[in-house]
Amino acid sequence: MPNGRAVLLLRRLSSGDSKLKNLNLNQSTNKESLFCLYRDFSSSKRLTTFGQNLCSVKLTRSYSDNIIKMSKTNIESATAEKPKYTNQLITEKSPYLLQHAHNPVQWYPWGEEAIDKAKKENKLIFLSVGYSTCHWCHVMEKESFENEDVAKVMNEHFINIKVDREERPDIDRVYMLFVMATTGSGGWPMSVFLTPDLKPITGGTYFPPEDRWGRPGFKSILLSLAKKWKENKAQFVDASHNIMQALQKISLVDSDSSQLVPGEATWNKCVQRYISIFEPHFGGFGLAPKFPQASIFNFLFHFYARDKSDPEGKKCLDMCLYTLTKIAKGGIHDHVSSGFARYSVDNDWHVPHFEKMLYDQAQLIVAYTDAYLATKEEFYADVVRDIIKYINRDLRHESGGYYSAEDADSYPYEGAPHKKEGAFCVWEFDELKSLLDGKKINETSYFDIFCDYFNVEEDGNISMESDPHGELKNKNVLIVYGSKEETMSKFEITSEQFEDVISYCTNILYEERQKRPRPHLDTKMLCSWNGLIIAGLAQAGQGLGEKSYVDDAIKTANFIKEHLYEPSNKTLLHSCYRGDDGSIAQTKEPIKGFLDDYAFLIKGLLDLYEASLDLYWLNWARELQYKQNELFWDDTNGGYFTCSTDDDTVVLRLKEDQDGAEPSGNSVSCHNLQRLAAYADKSEAAEGGDVERNMAKRLLTVFAKRLNDTQDGACSDPRTLALVRAVRSRLLAGRVLAVADPDSPAGMSDILLSRIKCSEVPTAYVCRRYACSLPVTEVEQLESLLDEPAKPAQPAKPAQPAQPAQAPPTHVPATPT
């Protein structure tokens, strides 16, 4: 857990209770999500003390006045016109950096040139971090970075640096830790102001160009900081020094050499936690926005497979299968073009944030393969085939490497003045009717069958809650709420006829989509994510008996060996790129591999060995493990750092122990080490697999205290937070809000809730004049109770004589428990 005093210090330093008290960027006034959500809900330090808002922020689409007005320039299409501006990003390979190469802002890539310039000119650094498929990164670019007036202020007073967070995850993690610590949430675009020696001062995520929504405008922030830096640099330097000390404390892992390897009790605790937060209606763990969270499936499938007769294990299997079925039927699954979007903004997995990430596809391949192996149901195997069809068709370089992502935004039609989110994916009723209504079966239109199965509605099937600003009005995102049996029965068709109808219709829609402008494709190829794809393909090849998938994995492994590996020193590179002519390109100074590159690739190679039985891949995995240990292992305290010591511009080395949207390098490494130990048990080496086995034990003991001490109880349960938000979002006269947390230390909950019996499900009571309602568990029920008009007070009764001691009253003022 993070150091409470360190957190407090950070907040005070950047939010107004310090010498820099006027630097509060006040981003939390409006709770609507104005940025691409932080992909790893658990940061490297699991900032639970101040990171809970990350899961409680209401995710909406985008504000209606923030449509991305984007001309077809930069890397997406050639133009005869010479750009008015060109900055230092023009020579970069990152698609994200190239998107900003013609901004009027004088951007620099991260590196010595920009840092030395900041020191020489004694200016603050403005660091902007994002990625090429990030919706709100595009918004801030169009509103601020293409605004000549804003750019003039930036160029005059700051050294401006752009970072692709996928290209430099080490830099992103350091400053994301700072932003989350000081604001309570994180996301992209990430905007951080640094001293010339790279220490953070203040920051946030998206900022509007002008003052609005209770937020200071970006231009106002720039001018205020420039003025204060000019007037009193010493205050900034002092504050930045204290901030770095606090960050270092937060980043420390509280390792304890006396800790034992977590045992059965820890496993069971984790299982009970997932059972308690399982969402029973549509599956998943927690409420909207809902992410697939593939690492949870890995754990639950593993728990089930240990003892298939265990009732708790059966619960784990049921939760996985139910959730994976709902995800596959949901709008987060692209029923026309295959693959999965990053997350859904609603509880039903219906309305997605439309970008597609390679790492999601890779991990979901594994999850659905496990589901197939556990059930032998062809439904799950079909989903695996669907994902692999997508990545091989749309994300693959001909040499075998896989691209990073497809954007959520695209032009709705050729020549459109601006992009819109989801334009490539959504459908209007009349459009579908014109495409599908001509063909019939048994006098029933294919169109009617298709609309019934995929819940297409004439005025669109997207609720206002999922689209409060009307960007998707009258649009349909295909989703299956029922079953094919229900549709077959309704239209009196056979299973074979149903499959023919759906296949015909989706093929028609796929061809129609190809006429639309495609979303931007991030053609950066990352070693880490390609390692995950190798693992997915190898496991799918084994589980489904598809040799072609194993062949795909081999081709990708060979791609990495050729383009992302330096045989002279046996090290990995982090990224390579598709050149303008389609060839593989590299930056002038290639980015060296990080922990995730080694850990994820080693995992992929071990899976590939098991799928191909070719010792070549096992031997390479061993070789890479030795190099990983050399570069990242902490000899003093144990565990792996996320980056090596090679780059002195990275001001803080972190250790990640939490699986988020991507798995943690330490957790993957722990499993890799145990597998390598097993392979080495009968080797000629005297120590056998003891070296790897002992390192795996050390990894587990390093993080054991944090895992065993985690009390992720009622106050942090997403369902509790949803109930609390219903209370906080209303003007209630004389409100008293309290929470009874069953995990609170003794004596800490001895308040007016002390007599409430805590249930397994978060429960709310609304009490007025010492009379409480019946318990409610749904947000809608609580909202109805809170919105009821207060009854007038009854005349006071005469005082009664004192009564002898008796049992506690049954009605106790209380709110969510």
Side-chain angles (χ1 to χ4, degrees):
M1 299 293 287
N3 182 290
R5 295 184 65 186
V7 172
L8 178 61
L9 172 62
L10 271 172
R11 283 186 162 177
R12 292 176 66 185
L13 286 170
S14 84
S15 65
D17 193 15
S18 71
K19 296 178 181 179
L20 302 177
K21 62 183 179 180
N22 294 322
L23 296 186
N24 180 16
L25 302 187
N26 191 26
Q27 284 203 297
S28 59
T29 303
N30 186 301
K31 292 296 182 185
E32 306 232 36
S33 185
L34 296 175
F35 46 85
C36 298
L37 281 182
Y38 184 38
R39 194 173 284 134
D40 297 320
F41 273 171
S42 30
S43 74
S44 59
K45 188 57 182 179
R46 194 58 176 173
L47 308 178
T48 52
T49 304
F50 42 78
Q52 292 177 3
N53 289 341
L54 202 59
C55 294
S56 62
V57 171
K58 181 180 179 183
L59 183 73
T60 65
R61 303 222 62 81
S62 54
Y63 283 85
S64 55
D65 55 351
N66 276 323
I67 292 173
I68 304 173
K69 297 183 177 177
M70 182 178 284
S71 59
K72 295 185 179 179
T73 57
N74 297 351
I75 61 174
E76 293 194 9
S77 61
T79 176
E81 280 187 42
K82 183 178 180 181
K84 185 175 179 180
Y85 300 99
T86 300
N87 55 50
Q88 299 281 3
L89 302 182
I90 194 63
T91 60
E92 294 299 303
K93 300 296 183 184
S94 159
Y96 176 64
L97 299 186
L98 289 172
Q99 285 175 347
H100 294 264
H102 296 300
N103 293 166
V105 178
Q106 294 171 7
W107 291 114
Y108 288 85
W110 183 273
E112 295 296 341
E113 180 182 3
I115 296 168
D116 290 344
K117 186 176 178 66
K119 292 176 180 177
K120 181 179 179 181
E121 298 182 12
N122 202 11
K123 289 182 178 179
L124 285 177
I125 292 171
F126 171 65
L127 173 64
S128 177
V129 182
Y131 55 103
S132 76
T133 59
C134 165
H135 174 77
W136 283 98
C137 300
H138 301 331
V139 173
M140 193 165 179
E141 178 192 13
K142 298 307 155 186
E143 291 181 338
S144 294
F145 303 150
E146 289 190 349
N147 183 307
E148 293 183 348
D149 291 337
V150 173
K152 183 178 179 181
V153 176
M154 294 174 69
N155 296 338
E156 181 178 353
H157 298 290
F158 300 89
I159 301 301
N160 304 291
I161 298 179
K162 263 284 174 196
V163 165
D164 182 336
R165 61 90 46 194
E166 294 166 354
E167 194 177 56
R168 292 302 304 263
D170 52 339
I171 298 167
D172 175 68
R173 284 167 177 152
V174 170
Y175 297 110
M176 183 64 75
L177 173 64
F178 165 72
V179 169
M180 291 182 68
T182 54
T183 70
S185 62
W188 298 280
M190 179 168 64
S191 307
V192 189
F193 294 89
L194 317 176
T195 60
D197 59 354
L198 307 178
K199 295 174 182 175
I201 290 296
T202 191
T205 53
Y206 162 85
F207 293 105
E210 306 295 338
D211 300 354
R212 63 187 185 207
W213 307 326
R215 286 178 167 86
F218 186 56
K219 190 174 179 180
S220 298
I221 293 168
L222 292 169
L223 291 170
S224 175
L225 285 171
K227 182 174 183 292
K228 293 180 183 301
W229 176 253
K230 184 177 180 180
E231 291 175 350
N232 200 333
K233 295 181 179 63
Q235 290 182 357
F236 280 80
V237 173
D238 289 345
S240 69
H241 177 73
N242 293 334
I243 286 170
M244 281 307 302
Q245 286 186 324
L247 281 177
Q248 287 164 353
K249 290 179 182 178
I250 292 175
S251 67
L252 289 176
V253 175
D254 302 323
S255 58
D256 183 346
S257 59
S258 66
Q259 289 286 324
L260 300 175
V261 173
E264 198 72 18
T266 303
W267 279 83
N268 292 329
K269 178 181 178 181
C270 292
V271 168
Q272 292 306 315
R273 173 60 182 157
Y274 287 130
I275 290 174
S276 73
I277 65 171
F278 178 70
E279 197 282 288
H281 301 296
F282 287 90
F285 302 90
L287 304 175
K290 294 176 84 167
F291 289 72
Q293 296 179 285
S295 60
I296 297 178
F297 300 133
N298 292 343
F299 171 74
L300 296 177
F301 276 127
H302 189 111
F303 190 89
Y304 161 73
R306 293 164 77 226
D307 181 0
K308 295 175 184 177
S309 64
D310 180 5
E312 294 296 277
K314 184 61 168 60
K315 287 182 183 178
C316 292
L317 176 64
D318 290 343
M319 290 190 296
C320 287
L321 297 180
Y322 187 79
T323 301
L324 288 169
T325 299
K326 288 295 186 181
I327 291 174
K329 290 185 173 184
I332 191 175
H333 183 195
D334 190 338
H335 297 279
V336 172
S337 293
S338 305
F340 287 83
R342 194 159 73 95
Y343 63 86
S344 69
V345 303
D346 60 283
N347 195 58
D348 300 6
W349 305 105
H350 181 199
V351 183
H353 180 56
F354 293 89
E355 68 180 313
K356 294 178 181 177
M357 312 301 297
L358 180 64
Y359 62 79
D360 282 326
Q361 319 307 320
Q363 294 177 92
L364 286 171
I365 288 173
V366 175
Y368 282 100
T369 298
D370 286 346
Y372 171 72
L373 291 174
T375 64
K376 294 301 188 289
E377 292 181 16
E378 202 63 25
F379 171 84
Y380 300 112
D382 286 340
V383 178
V384 174
R385 297 183 185 105
D386 180 80
I387 299 171
I388 295 175
K389 177 175 71 173
Y390 165 68
I391 62 171
N392 281 345
R393 184 192 64 215
D394 292 344
L395 294 183
R396 196 179 199 191
H397 188 277
E398 60 184 11
S399 299
Y402 287 89
Y403 305 132
S404 296
E406 276 196 304
D407 207 334
D409 306 318
S410 61
Y411 295 101
Y413 54 87
E414 292 292 344
H418 56 78
K419 291 186 175 184
K420 296 185 69 175
E421 186 173 9
F424 188 69
C425 301
V426 296
W427 305 93
E428 292 188 354
F429 182 86
D430 290 341
E431 180 183 17
L432 292 172
K433 187 176 179 66
S434 67
L435 291 168
L436 306 177
D437 204 26
K439 197 169 178 66
K440 295 186 177 182
I441 183 171
N442 298 340
E443 300 304 316
T444 300
S445 167
Y446 276 33
F447 170 69
D448 290 337
I449 297 172
F450 183 87
C451 289
D452 180 79
Y453 183 61
F454 284 113
N455 290 275
V456 173
E457 298 179 12
E458 190 167 359
D459 57 352
N461 67 0
I462 299 170
S463 67
M464 290 182 61
E465 290 78 14
S466 297
D467 182 35
H469 306 290
E471 275 199 335
L472 299 176
K473 186 177 181 181
N474 297 326
K475 306 293 185 183
N476 286 278
V477 173
L478 306 182
I479 183 172
V480 180
Y481 280 113
S483 67
K484 75 173 189 177
E485 288 75 19
E486 290 171 343
T487 300
M488 287 161 48
S489 175
K490 179 177 180 179
F491 294 101
E492 298 181 345
I493 57 177
T494 67
S495 177
E496 184 178 351
Q497 289 172 326
F498 171 85
E499 297 295 345
D500 288 344
V501 169
I502 298 302
S503 176
Y504 173 86
C505 291
T506 52
N507 286 337
I508 291 291
L509 297 187
Y510 176 79
E511 293 301 324
E512 183 65 21
R513 264 203 195 168
Q514 305 318 300
K515 301 173 185 177
R516 299 175 177 177
R518 289 197 66 87
H520 159 72
L521 176 66
D522 189 319
T523 55
K524 177 174 67 268
M525 288 166 274
L526 302 176
C527 182
S528 55
W529 295 1
N530 275 266
L532 291 177
I533 279 289
I534 293 172
L537 290 168
Q539 291 188 50
Q542 295 178 77
L544 275 62
E546 293 279 359
K547 182 179 181 299
S548 63
Y549 297 162
V550 180
D551 292 339
D552 288 338
I554 290 172
K555 188 172 182 178
T556 303
N558 282 323
F559 173 89
I560 293 176
K561 193 76 180 268
E562 181 177 355
H563 298 288
L564 291 169
Y565 178 69
E566 293 186 339
S568 60
N569 54 16
K570 299 182 179 181
T571 58
L572 294 173
L573 300 177
H574 176 61
S575 56
C576 60
Y577 311 81
R578 186 183 71 185
D580 293 337
D581 61 355
S583 63
I584 302 301
Q586 187 53 269
T587 53
K588 183 169 58 176
E589 295 183 10
I591 301 170
K592 296 180 180 180
F594 303 107
L595 171 63
D596 288 358
D597 296 305
Y598 286 83
F600 296 0
L601 178 57
I602 291 168
K603 171 180 169 49
L605 293 176
L606 293 176
D607 290 331
L608 184 52
Y609 163 67
E610 294 186 3
S612 67
L613 301 181
D614 185 344
L615 278 170
Y616 177 82
W617 306 117
L618 176 58
N619 290 333
W620 192 25
R622 283 197 182 110
E623 175 189 292
L624 290 173
Q625 187 65 58
Y626 297 146
K627 182 58 66 172
Q628 176 184 318
N629 297 344
E630 175 188 326
L631 293 173
F632 307 106
W633 182 257
D634 182 352
D635 290 321
T636 303
N637 297 310
Y640 291 102
F641 290 107
T642 58
C643 61
S644 69
T645 57
D646 290 344
D647 190 345
D648 58 9
T649 67
V650 181
V651 296
L652 191 63
R653 293 179 80 199
L654 302 174
K655 293 178 188 174
E656 284 198 321
D657 64 338
Q658 294 286 337
D659 295 326
E662 299 171 53
S664 156
N666 273 296
S667 66
V668 173
S669 295
C670 187
H671 194 207
N672 291 345
L673 288 165
Q674 293 178 76
R675 295 173 74 180
L676 288 167
Y679 288 128
D681 272 340
K682 302 299 182 182
S683 69
E684 294 181 1
E687 68 275 12
D690 288 347
V691 172
E692 292 85 0
R693 189 174 293 105
N694 289 334
M695 290 186 76
K697 289 180 179 178
R698 182 76 175 108
L699 257 177
L700 289 169
T701 56
V702 163
F703 299 108
K705 186 176 187 297
R706 185 179 302 174
L707 181 60
N708 291 326
D709 289 351
T710 297
Q711 295 293 335
D712 202 356
C715 286
S716 58
D717 191 312
R719 297 168 297 178
T720 300
L721 296 175
L723 293 170
V724 170
R725 283 200 302 274
V727 178
R728 289 173 172 166
S729 64
R730 281 164 168 74
L731 178 63
L732 301 171
R735 186 195 80 184
V736 176
L737 171 65
V739 177
D741 189 339
D743 293 320
S744 294
M748 294 299 291
S749 61
D750 199 17
I751 52 176
L752 70 164
L753 295 175
S754 58
R755 298 184 183 93
I756 290 291
K757 180 181 179 180
C758 293
S759 65
E760 293 184 1
V761 179
T763 306
Y765 300 80
V766 176
C767 304
R768 294 185 174 96
R769 306 186 192 284
Y770 294 92
C772 296
S773 71
L774 292 173
V776 296
T777 58
E778 299 293 333
V779 172
E780 294 77 9
Q781 296 172 313
L782 177 58
E783 290 174 336
S784 296
L785 288 173
L786 293 172
D787 292 339
E788 287 180 358
K791 296 179 181 179
Q794 299 297 317
K797 294 181 179 180
Q800 300 294 318
Q803 300 293 319
Q806 55 185 343
T810 57
H811 293 299
V812 181
T815 44
T817 65

